[in-house]
Amino acid sequence: MVVTGEAKTGTHALVDYGRAKVNLTLRVVGRRVDGYHDLESVVAFADCADRLTLSTGSALSLETTGPTANACGEVTHNLVLKAARLLAERVADLEVGAFALEKMLPVAAGIGGGSADAAAALRLLARLNDLSFDDARLAEVALLTGADVPVCLASRACDMTGVGEGLLPLSLPKLPAVLVNPNVPVATKDVFTALGLRNGELLVGATDVLEAPVWPGEGASIAEWIAALSEVGNDLEAPAKRIQPVIADVLRALGEAQGAQLARMSGSGATCFALFAVAADAQAAARTIAAAHPGWWVHAGELS
């Protein structure tokens, strides 16, 4: 969890960050009879984020700024407000305030930007109202807000299962990585529709993934993790590439980068990532890709 102190002494403003979520693996076990998809995914978090400020003493509101704010859609539908309203239904006399979201992450990008923002809002409201971060109402609201919000609420590496409610913490080393988004939005609903599973249907070949795999334990090296992650892909990658073929171009650019150990799509796309053994190789790859594709969003950093 990434939490800062107050923005300025005496302003009654609290600040938190919605870190980008990266699905290092993503297996679709099947589609339940209620239409939701059961997943198993190793999730890590990047060192790039949206910034959310909560100013107290005001009615609930949200203002968005930043380079990707215009892509967020109507403020009234923002997950920050949805999470706040759901929590207010469960916590009597919940103190709220004015949220200000500085949107830095790509939107509809497969890195959980909106979910991370909602999770940051819940953490801020918990701090403001002296709620424990393990309060059951926070967990309930997180899942009701969106499938990725529970893992973003913890904002730490996890093996995520079910529809997002199963979270097993993982001891992940800091992984040098490059994230690339071609600035093309991909709707999660469209990707799952393209996957084509009927209600109650298991994904073909899914019988061997009904139990979560055993991932490397405490103290495992970057090489051990990359080897383990290489054994499991992202089942949404193929349908996403059919919707947005540019994803294949992004994966090719990442895979051909010097020092890249693994290149894959995150979530439902279009953001893709490459893992590196050496941070300097990741930085060099990011510079090369950004120069070759100036219209793409490129970030080099660490996943943890």
Side-chain angles (χ1 to χ4, degrees):
M1 184 181 300
V2 177
V3 179
T4 72
E6 293 187 358
K8 292 181 181 178
T9 303
T11 63
H12 304 290
L14 304 175
V15 182
D16 205 326
Y17 292 87
R19 298 168 66 195
K21 167 212 61 113
V22 178
N23 298 93
L24 298 176
T25 68
L26 200 163
R27 301 188 294 180
V28 181
V29 176
R31 187 173 184 178
R32 307 188 324 187
V33 294
D34 61 7
Y36 290 97
H37 290 79
D38 277 317
L39 309 176
E40 193 273 326
S41 176
V42 173
V43 178
F45 288 85
D47 51 3
C48 52
D50 295 333
R51 184 178 190 270
L52 187 66
T53 302
L54 174 60
S55 298
T56 62
S58 304
L60 178 62
S61 64
L62 173 64
E63 178 185 11
T64 58
T65 60
T68 60
N70 289 338
C72 288
E74 291 291 332
V75 168
T76 53
H77 301 309
N78 194 284
L79 294 184
V80 166
L81 293 181
K82 179 179 180 180
R85 289 169 179 146
L86 286 170
L87 188 62
E89 293 173 2
R90 289 157 177 79
V91 178
D93 300 318
L94 183 77
E95 186 177 353
V96 292
F99 286 103
L101 175 62
E102 185 179 10
K103 193 69 185 170
M104 307 298 292
L105 301 175
V107 176
I111 52 175
S115 297
D117 298 339
L122 291 175
R123 292 194 297 268
L124 288 172
L125 290 171
R127 291 169 62 195
L128 179 61
N129 291 273
D130 294 322
L131 301 178
S132 170
F133 285 126
D134 60 3
D135 191 306
R137 293 169 293 186
L138 288 176
E140 179 188 10
V141 167
L143 190 59
L144 287 172
T145 303
D148 279 338
V149 181
V151 73
C152 290
L153 186 63
S155 195
R156 60 159 297 175
C158 287
D159 185 18
M160 181 176 68
T161 55
V163 294
E165 79 283 6
L167 301 174
L168 176 66
L170 296 173
S171 297
L172 193 72
K174 291 184 177 180
L175 301 174
V178 175
L179 307 183
V180 177
N181 184 280
N183 280 321
V184 174
V186 179
T188 299
K189 180 180 179 181
D190 293 345
V191 175
F192 275 105
T193 298
L195 187 64
L197 292 182
R198 299 183 301 274
N199 286 7
E201 180 183 5
L202 288 177
L203 187 65
V204 174
T207 53
D208 62 334
V209 301
L210 294 178
E211 295 183 2
V214 177
W215 298 105
E218 183 79 34
S221 66
I222 290 175
E224 289 174 307
W225 266 100
I226 290 177
L229 294 169
S230 297
E231 297 296 318
V232 184
N234 181 343
D235 290 335
L236 298 182
E237 197 170 288
K241 285 192 288 189
R242 291 197 296 271
I243 294 171
Q244 289 291 357
V246 70
I247 293 172
D249 299 330
V250 175
L251 288 168
R252 188 178 307 109
L254 286 166
E256 293 175 351
Q258 183 173 350
Q261 306 288 304
L262 174 68
R264 182 168 291 160
M265 188 184 80
S266 175
S268 55
T271 302
C272 301
F273 65 90
L275 301 181
F276 296 78
V278 180
D281 287 344
Q283 296 288 341
R287 289 192 295 268
T288 299
I289 293 171
H293 303 278
W296 291 1
W297 176 86
V298 181
H299 172 80
E302 291 180 329
L303 306 181
S304 61

